[in-house]
Amino acid sequence: MNSRYSRQILFSPIGVQGQEKLQQKHVLIIGAGALGSGSAEMLTRAGVGRITIIDRDYVDWSNLQRQQLYAEQDVEEHLPKAIAAQKRLHAINKEIEVIAHIQDVTALELEQLVHDVDLLIDATDNFETRFLINDVAQKYNIPWIYGACVGSYGLTYTILPGETPCLSCLLESIPLGIATCDTAGIISPAVSMVVSHQVTEALKILTNNKDSLQKRLISFDVWQNEYSTMNVQPLKKPRCPSCGEGAVYPYLQQENQTKTTVLCGRDTVQIRMPFSGEIRTEEYAKLLENKVEQLFVNPYLLSFTADDKRLVLFRDGRVLVHGTKHVAEAKSLYHRYFG
C-alpha cells in the first residue's frame, strides 16, 4: 500500500481495507465552488479512485477568498472551475482519475452521469439543483450529502435512500427568498466547517462505516459560536413523491423543471422556476439593498443592475435577465441573487 496514505490507514476505522475501498469508489461532486473545491481536494488527498466534477461557471476574483483550489492565474486565464479544479487535483494526486464537465446541471445530464457513482456530494448554490440531486439519488438508490453555507452559517445533512427523510420530506417545495453569498457575504471558516462534515460523512459511506453516520441535521454559526443537531427522522413521509411508496420523482419531470427562453431580438433570457407561486418582491428588495445598483421595487416587480446586466423579477416568479442571450449565464445570475 502506498505510503502516501499511511497516516489515514493508521486510523483504525479505515485501515488497509478501508483504503482499498476508497480507491475503488466513484464520487460525483455537483458544483466546483467553495464547498465543491474543498471536498474535491480532501477526497483527492484521501485517495478516492475517481472523482467527477460538474460546474457551469468560471473562476472569478471574488472566488479566491474561499475557493481553495484556485489561484490568480486561473482568473486571468478565465478558466472554467471544473477545468481549473481538475488541473490542481491532478497536481495533488496523479494516482486518481478526475473527470471534469463544464455544463449546467439538468435532469438529463445528471441521470446520465450517476450510473456508476457511489456517492453524490451537493456543492451547489441553489435549491433547484438540490431537488434534482435528491430525486436522482432516490431513483437510483445513491446516498448523497447536502451542504450549504452563507455568512457565518452552515448546514449539512446525509441522505440515505430508503432509510432517512429525503430533501422533499424536509422542505416539500423549492424555498424562495433565501440569502446567498452575493447578498449576505460569506467567510471561509463556515465553508471549511461544512466541507469537514461532508467529507467525514463521505469517508464513512465509502469505507462502509455507515453505523458511524451522523443521522441528524447539523447546523452551526461559527461567528455566533452556535452549534446544534436535529433529529429529522420523524419527518420522513410515507407518501413523499420523491422517496415514498409509488415515488414519481417530480423534479425529474419536464413540466417541473425551470423554463428558460431567449427572447427574440431583445438580448434577454426569461427564467421561470417551477412551484413558485406569488413572489413578495419587497422581501427580495430587503435582501438586495446596498448589494446591487439601481434597485427599484413597486407592487408589480423588482429590478436592479448587477454585472452589467439588468434583472427584473415579477410577482409570478418570472425573471428577465437583460443583456445576455446565454442561458447558462442568465441562470448563474438568477441563482446568485435569488437563492
Side-chain angles (χ1 to χ4, degrees):
M1 183 66 68
N2 194 321
S3 62
R4 170 195 291 268
Y5 309 113
S6 61
R7 301 304 185 271
Q8 188 164 277
I9 291 170
L10 286 172
F11 180 64
S12 58
I14 294 180
V16 173
Q17 291 184 346
Q19 191 63 47
E20 290 174 346
K21 287 185 175 72
L22 288 176
Q23 293 172 312
Q24 298 166 4
K25 300 299 184 179
H26 182 189
V27 176
L28 173 60
I29 301 175
I30 301 98
L35 296 181
S37 60
S39 294
E41 179 173 346
M42 281 194 184
L43 293 173
T44 294
R45 294 185 184 277
V48 172
R50 189 192 306 176
I51 297 172
T52 296
I53 300 171
I54 180 170
D55 191 279
R56 67 187 172 201
D57 210 351
Y58 58 88
V59 185
D60 180 79
W61 287 106
S62 65
N63 302 148
L64 301 184
Q65 167 253 350
R66 65 196 180 283
Q67 299 182 16
Q68 62 193 52
L69 285 182
Y70 309 126
E72 292 184 356
Q73 185 176 350
D74 300 322
V75 180
E76 293 163 355
E77 295 178 0
H78 297 90
L79 279 185
K81 289 182 180 180
I83 298 301
Q86 182 186 49
K87 290 174 63 176
R88 175 63 177 152
L89 295 174
H90 276 155
I92 291 171
N93 190 348
K94 292 183 174 63
E95 295 180 352
I96 72 166
E97 181 181 6
V98 181
I99 304 164
H101 292 276
I102 312 164
Q103 62 190 68
D104 198 12
V105 178
T106 68
L108 177 62
E109 279 107 7
L110 205 50
E111 288 200 76
Q112 291 173 341
L113 288 171
V114 299
H115 288 291
D116 63 346
V117 165
D118 299 290
L119 176 67
L120 301 169
I121 293 185
D122 162 38
T124 67
D125 60 0
N126 67 89
F127 277 96
E128 174 198 359
T129 305
R130 290 186 180 110
F131 275 96
L132 284 179
I133 296 170
N134 184 69
D135 274 10
V136 165
Q138 301 302 321
K139 183 176 180 179
Y140 295 100
N141 195 33
I142 304 170
W144 73 283
I145 305 172
Y146 162 64
C149 52
V150 65
S152 57
Y153 178 79
L155 189 71
T156 182
Y157 178 58
T158 301
I159 296 175
L160 303 178
E163 299 181 35
T164 67
C166 77
L167 189 64
S168 291
C169 289
L170 302 184
L171 294 178
E172 295 186 353
S173 64
I174 295 174
L176 301 170
I178 303 298
T180 72
C181 297
D182 288 83
T183 59
I186 189 167
I187 57 174
S188 59
V191 174
S192 298
M193 183 77 85
V194 173
V195 168
S196 294
H197 280 290
Q198 285 187 294
V199 174
T200 302
E201 294 285 278
L203 292 175
K204 294 173 186 177
I205 291 171
L206 298 172
T207 59
N208 200 27
N209 281 284
K210 292 186 178 181
D211 289 344
S212 298
L213 288 170
Q214 172 63 239
K215 298 184 179 68
R216 297 172 72 90
L217 187 148
I218 300 169
S219 65
F220 54 82
D221 190 316
V222 294
W223 197 265
Q224 299 298 329
N225 308 307
E226 297 170 353
Y227 185 95
S228 65
T229 66
M230 180 186 299
N231 178 18
V232 295
Q233 192 63 34
L235 299 180
K236 185 170 177 58
K237 296 178 173 60
R239 296 185 179 180
C240 172
S242 294
C243 73
E245 297 177 7
V248 295
Y249 316 113
Y251 293 91
L252 300 183
Q253 298 175 18
Q254 187 64 36
E255 64 268 22
N256 292 331
Q257 295 174 27
T258 296
K259 308 298 189 300
T260 56
T261 306
V262 180
L263 302 187
C264 182
R266 294 186 58 186
D267 199 25
T268 296
V269 176
Q270 176 178 275
I271 300 175
R272 182 188 290 274
M273 286 284 284
F275 313 126
S276 57
E278 183 169 336
I279 305 299
R280 295 184 178 181
T281 51
E282 59 275 10
E283 293 183 4
Y284 278 102
K286 292 177 183 178
L287 283 172
L288 294 167
E289 189 176 10
N290 301 321
K291 311 292 193 313
V292 297
E293 299 177 349
Q294 298 178 318
L295 178 65
F296 173 82
V297 62
N298 65 24
Y300 315 103
L301 58 82
L302 174 148
S303 70
F304 61 90
T305 300
D307 298 337
D308 299 321
K309 307 292 188 296
R310 189 75 181 169
L311 282 78
V312 181
L313 169 68
F314 296 89
R315 294 186 76 92
D316 66 357
R318 286 180 303 116
V319 172
L320 297 181
V321 183
H322 298 290
T324 183
K325 296 179 181 178
H326 300 288
V327 170
E329 180 182 23
K331 288 181 71 175
S332 179
L333 286 167
Y334 174 92
H335 291 306
R336 187 180 304 172
Y337 293 103
F338 296 117

